[in-house]
């Protein structure tokens, strides 16, 4: 009986962390008339498929964050490719960036693809604040 109670409490604990909605945005800010960017994003549970956002547009999705939620994307453009986590931490979007890139508690993670690399940012009063995180 005690074992069942522990399982129930554990499930309730996990479910309590699965209520925050997160959005991830992939903005295509590559030069006009450049080759098409290809983006493939997935988590352990969801394959979001291949996407081809046009210059000046974005691909985005939302999800309810769990304790161990992680999304990664693979990018191909102009003979280059790069893959990395685009979300793995509810406080800062991703663990491997400096704390001052995205304020704690930001639930919209904005990635911008440019010809010199990848920028992570957030919206503040309609203004997108970006910091370069990865080269191609």
């Amino acid at each position: 009986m005690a074992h069942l109670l522990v399982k129930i409490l554990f499930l309730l604990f996990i479910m309590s962390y699965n209520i925050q909605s997160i959005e991830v945005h992939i903005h295509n800010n590559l030069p006009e008339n450049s080759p098409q960017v290809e983006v493939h994003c997935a988590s352990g549970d969801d394959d979001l498929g291949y996407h081809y956002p046009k210059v000046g547009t974005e691909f985005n999705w939302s999800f309810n964050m769990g304790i161990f939620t992680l999304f990664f994307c693979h990018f191909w453009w102009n003979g280059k490719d790069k893959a990395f986590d685009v979300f793995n931490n509810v406080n800062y979007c991703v663990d491997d960036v400096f704390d001052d890139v995205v304020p704690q508690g930001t639930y919209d993670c904005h990635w911008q693809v440019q010809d010199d690399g990848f920028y992570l940012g957030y919206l503040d009063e309609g203004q997108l604040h970006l910091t370069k995180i990865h080269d191609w």
Side-chain angles (χ1 to χ4, degrees), residues 39-42 47-51 59:
V39 183
H40 179 238
C41 300
D47 186 337
L48 303 178
Y50 290 84
H51 295 269
F59 160 58

Side-chain angles (χ1 to χ4, degrees), residues 30-47:
L30 292 166
E32 290 287 339
N33 301 318
S34 69
Q36 178 67 55
V37 66
E38 180 177 352
V39 183
H40 179 238
C41 300
S43 72
D45 299 324
D46 298 304
D47 186 337

